[in-house]
Amino acid sequence: MLRSFSRWLPLLALLMMTGCASTPPGARGHFEARAVKVDGETAYYQVFIPAAAARAAGPLPVVLFLHGSGERGGDGVKQTHAGLGPYLRQHAADFPALAVFPQVPGREEWSGRNNRVAVAALDATIAEFGADPARQYLTGMSMGGYGSWNIALDDPQRFAAIVPVCGAVLAPRAVRPTLFVEQVTNEADPYAVIAQRLQRTPIWIFHGALDDVVPPDDDRRLHAAFQTAGARDVRYTEYAEGNHNAWDATYADAAMWAWLLAQRRNYN
């Protein structure tokens, strides 16, 4: 029995070494490492490059993803391990857009230089791959949900649509005094100010009703403020049984992706 099995070992080894041989190069999407220099320092990030078929279809849309607190670091990779990254690995054969994954170092937030790094990485990706500037999308989870508002407010005309997931506007300062949406922290009604500035941008907010890390109160108030402002397309989905991890359900939602990728920024 062992002698018979041993006859197949060379073939098995060959198949293991060439396991992708039956899949043409570029047939599946994949991640590649990149670096950008901002303020004289190098920052590392990842780019998801979609399959060859998507690249052949014309200028690609591009998604900027902002990770949560647990993915901070300096390895340039960990930010792909939660949220959008695992979804893209599962859908590497058919996801039709580029995605950019910058990383916040240490115990920092999505603010200041980290936001500039994110935008610089997005710009570098658009330039390298000839992506469609009218189809830039922004999404982030938890800490990255706060960051989505920060970066969108920095340039309200840039993104064709935004998907903040389980983020907020203000955090309890006693818990984490550095986490908040900086541009509106001194406003009497920060929710109304955000709604006024971004009312022309399509936005879909997601949150878990049972979230005990970032309670959904701020997102509820934001949605109400957008409605009061007469925003053209701002949606809010609250998962009745969901806790803080609203990102797995959000990024697995085919309706969300169909809506997001249909949005285009009109610069006229």
Side-chain angles (χ1 to χ4, degrees), residues 58-60 98 125-133:
L60 289 165
L98 294 156
T125 302
I126 292 170
E128 178 181 356
F129 295 96
D132 186 348

Side-chain angles (χ1 to χ4, degrees), residues 12 27 67 73 82 102 107 116 133 137 145 175 186 213 226 248:
L12 289 172
H67 63 76
R107 298 182 63 82
R116 294 195 295 277
Y137 309 111
V175 176
N186 294 319
V213 178
F226 276 108
D248 285 343

Side-chain angles (χ1 to χ4, degrees), residues 213-234:
V213 178
V214 181
D217 301 1
D218 270 13
D219 276 350
R220 293 169 180 166
R221 295 179 69 176
L222 270 170
H223 184 236
F226 276 108
Q227 289 181 310
T228 299
R232 66 174 188 174
D233 187 4
V234 175

Side-chain angles (χ1 to χ4, degrees), residues 102-252:
Q103 186 180 32
V104 169
R107 298 182 63 82
E108 298 178 19
E109 311 286 3
W110 286 113
S111 63
R113 178 180 178 273
N114 296 325
N115 288 354
R116 294 195 295 277
V117 166
V119 172
L122 177 59
D123 285 337
T125 302
I126 292 170
E128 178 181 356
F129 295 96
D132 186 348
R135 299 180 72 198
Q136 300 178 62
Y137 309 111
L138 173 61
T139 184
M141 63 186 222
S142 192
M143 181 183 85
Y146 287 85
S148 296
W149 298 116
N150 267 327
I151 289 181
L153 289 167
D154 282 340
D155 189 353
Q157 304 304 314
R158 175 161 193 156
F159 294 99
I162 306 170
V163 177
V165 183
C166 61
V169 177
L170 305 173
R173 297 304 176 88
V175 176
R176 188 159 161 181
T178 56
L179 182 61
F180 55 92
V181 178
E182 297 169 316
Q183 288 202 25
V184 298
T185 188
N186 294 319
E187 298 287 349
D189 187 344
Y191 311 97
V193 173
I194 291 174
Q196 191 277 325
R197 293 182 186 174
L198 295 176
Q199 62 179 296
R200 297 185 62 191
T201 300
I203 300 170
W204 197 340
I205 304 166
F206 292 83
H207 218 118
L210 306 180
D211 194 332
D212 56 3
V213 178
V214 181
D217 301 1
D218 270 13
D219 276 350
R220 293 169 180 166
R221 295 179 69 176
L222 270 170
H223 184 236
F226 276 108
Q227 289 181 310
T228 299
R232 66 174 188 174
D233 187 4
V234 175
R235 308 175 180 200
Y236 179 54
T237 294
E238 189 170 290
Y239 301 112
E241 302 300 321
N243 203 304
H244 189 51
N245 182 351
W247 49 84
D248 285 343
T250 298
Y251 295 129

